[in-house]
Amino acid sequence: GFIEQRKILERLGPDRLKIIGVNWFEDATRYPGESMRLNRLLDRVAPGITALEGNEAVYDAFGRFRGLPALFVFDGTGAEIYRFVYLGGPGNVNADYQTIRALIEALS
């Protein structure tokens, strides 16, 4: 969750780790300023984590994946090193935190 992400971010520092959330569920045309409102919340509960509006360009950039939540981890060169996409069913809904933590700490 955001608390664990914030702890990793604090340990590594914002110059070495960036966490960006993509907001796919809010309709920006129906709710103007939704990203700004979400980022104000994140500033309070998870400083250093930024939310962007999901759109077709973002969807294309990540390979038009199916399923949410989805998580992508990139190394310092921009190469994707981990991908989790929830495909439905009774399996894991979220990426395994221990795996993510190990990957990120290995990059530091």
Side-chain angles (χ1 to χ4, degrees):
F2 284 132
I3 301 297
E4 292 85 4
Q5 292 172 7
R6 189 178 69 203
K7 287 178 186 175
I8 293 173
L9 185 59
E10 288 170 355
R11 183 174 12 209
L12 296 179
D15 56 327
R16 296 172 65 202
L17 176 66
K18 303 288 185 216
I19 300 175
I20 300 171
V22 179
N23 180 7
W24 293 100
F25 293 109
E26 303 297 342
D27 183 347
T29 59
R30 196 165 154 209
Y31 302 104
E34 189 62 33
S35 268
M36 290 178 16
R37 194 174 80 180
L38 181 56
N39 277 306
R40 283 195 304 269
L41 172 66
L42 286 173
D43 283 344
R44 286 197 311 272
V45 299
I49 300 175
T50 302
L52 303 175
E53 290 289 343
N55 58 36
E56 286 296 312
V58 172
Y59 189 45
D60 287 341
F62 286 87
R64 301 194 69 78
F65 60 91
R66 296 191 183 278
L68 289 172
L71 176 92
F72 303 85
V73 178
F74 299 90
D75 68 14
T77 70
E80 183 181 313
I81 61 168
Y82 180 82
R83 173 183 292 223
F84 171 87
V85 178
Y86 175 60
L87 299 175
N92 293 332
V93 173
N94 293 299
D96 176 42
Y97 172 70
Q98 296 302 327
T99 300
I100 305 304
R101 182 176 176 176
L103 281 168
I104 291 172
E105 290 183 348
L107 294 173
S108 61

